[in-house]
Amino acid sequence: MTKIISIANQKGGVGKTTTTINLATSLSAINKKVLLVDADPQGNASTGIGIAYKDRLPSLYDLIVKRELDTNSIKKTIVPNLSIISANTNLAAAEVELANYEKREFVLEDILLNTKAYDFILIDCPPALGLLTINSLVASNSVIVPLQSEFFALEGMSSLVNTIQLIKENFNPKLNVEGILLTMVDKRNTLSSLVEKDVREHFGEIVYKTTIPRNVKISEAPSHGKPAIIYDVNCSGSMAYIGLAREILNKQD
Ligand SMILES: Nc1ncnc2c1ncn2[C@@H]1O[C@H](COP(=O)(O)OP(=O)(O)O)[C@@H](O)[C@H]1O
Ligand SMILES: [Mg+2]
């Protein structure tokens, strides 16, 4: 059984792409077969994992146009066990074009229907609650919501929670919240600790025990086209993402 997880939050810069790449790599390292789907027209996940622009075709956009999987779109990455369907800027047009499709919320689900060989499919969502994110949530079993540990962390959460609820009611009854992940946590910073306390009080058990520290290696890694886990496995950020993968796997069984 493949578990499909969207990494979503309509805010930009909260750690969606970083989480998708490093969680995917951590799960692969624990011998899981993983497919990363880059559903953001910015293509940051594709770049961050070292897929050159010219090597992205057919990209997710081409699959959406045909509404079916083309196995040529699945590219190997430098990480054993981890493949990717990449994105380029064409994908921005899909947000508009999808509006005219019949059953427009189910296009990504149709595309992923025949990808059975994976333990996990992780979808990196764009920073919006538009049709690409809706398609990702409809195609998924669950969603991970990264929250940046700063003052406005909870801003926008009610519209995200509403969207998840609407998708559950109308398109995908099995969708649930896999977990809320605190990112860019700075234990020395009082505000960061207050935000963590606030988020845990508000959302309870669903917040992962694992938090991701603010760590410079994590932010350097994408410019080398490598996941942090490959760039520096011993840095605090890499260790945290490996811990997150373990926490998620422990929750499954
Ligand atoms: N734990 C972290 N420590 C330091 N920098 C981080 C961390 N997580 C993310 N970043 C940096 O913050 C920026 C936004 O992260 P990103 O994952 O791209 O967010 P999103 O996909 O939500 O827009 C990027 O420059 C990334 O390298
Ligand atoms: Mg991103």
Side-chain angles (χ1 to χ4, degrees):
M1 263 275 289
T2 307
K3 179 144 198 189
I4 306 182
I5 307 177
S6 283
I7 320 299
N9 185 331
Q10 74 274 30
K11 275 187 159 191
V14 298
K16 288 182 291 297
T17 300
T18 305
T19 298
T20 311
I21 291 178
N22 289 296
L23 178 59
T25 305
S26 302
L27 289 167
S28 312
I30 316 176
N31 256 332
K32 300 292 173 190
K33 271 203 84 183
V34 185
L35 176 66
L36 195 167
V37 177
D38 188 351
D40 184 351
Q42 295 175 89
N44 293 153
S46 310
T47 308
I49 209 141
I51 308 290
Y53 215 78
K54 62 175 174 42
D55 298 329
R56 294 183 192 181
L57 301 175
S59 70
L60 181 60
Y61 175 73
D62 305 303
L63 307 186
I64 289 176
V65 169
K66 293 204 174 127
R67 202 177 184 137
E68 66 180 19
L69 185 70
D70 173 347
T71 47
N72 292 320
S73 67
I74 300 177
K75 313 288 183 190
K76 286 200 156 83
T77 70
I78 50 170
V79 183
N81 289 332
L82 175 59
S83 302
I84 182 170
I85 295 176
S86 21
N88 59 23
T89 48
N90 289 349
L91 191 59
E95 190 76 69
V96 184
E97 291 168 17
L98 274 168
N100 301 314
Y101 280 45
E102 213 175 296
K103 293 194 141 204
R104 58 189 179 178
E105 295 87 2
F106 297 90
V107 178
L108 187 56
E109 179 170 80
D110 289 349
I111 292 169
L112 296 179
L113 213 57
N114 293 319
T115 51
K116 292 206 167 60
Y118 300 96
D119 297 305
F120 288 93
I121 299 179
L122 301 189
I123 309 174
D124 185 25
C125 293
L129 291 176
L131 274 171
L132 284 169
T133 297
I134 291 172
N135 263 270
S136 304
L137 293 172
V138 171
S140 295
N141 302 100
S142 64
V143 50
I144 292 176
V145 180
L147 283 186
Q148 190 181 344
S149 313
E150 40 106 297
F151 183 63
F152 291 113
L154 290 176
E155 190 202 54
M157 267 307 265
S158 57
S159 33
L160 180 57
V161 168
N162 278 341
T163 302
I164 293 170
Q165 197 52 37
L166 281 174
I167 287 174
K168 247 180 114 106
E169 284 162 17
N170 295 294
F171 309 115
N172 180 9
K174 69 179 187 295
L175 180 68
N176 64 7
V177 179
E178 181 80 32
I180 293 175
L181 176 68
L182 285 156
T183 64
M184 296 179 241
V185 170
D186 182 353
K187 295 279 184 202
R188 294 161 306 179
N189 178 327
T190 325
L191 178 61
S192 182
S193 306
L194 283 174
V195 170
E196 177 171 352
K197 187 166 166 280
D198 201 26
V199 169
R200 288 193 191 283
E201 272 171 18
H202 203 273
F203 292 102
E205 282 290 285
I206 204 127
V207 184
Y208 289 115
K209 292 192 183 69
T210 309
T211 60
I212 310 300
R214 188 175 277 286
N215 174 230
V216 66
K217 299 278 184 178
I218 291 253
S219 54
E220 285 170 9
S223 63
H224 298 266
K226 289 177 180 166
I229 318 288
I230 305 267
Y231 180 62
D232 181 354
V233 68
N234 292 315
C235 73
S236 60
S238 297
M239 311 254 267
Y241 276 112
I242 293 166
L244 176 66
R246 291 221 179 86
E247 187 175 346
I248 290 172
L249 291 175
N250 285 341
K251 268 194 185 172
Q252 320 271 309
D253 34 62

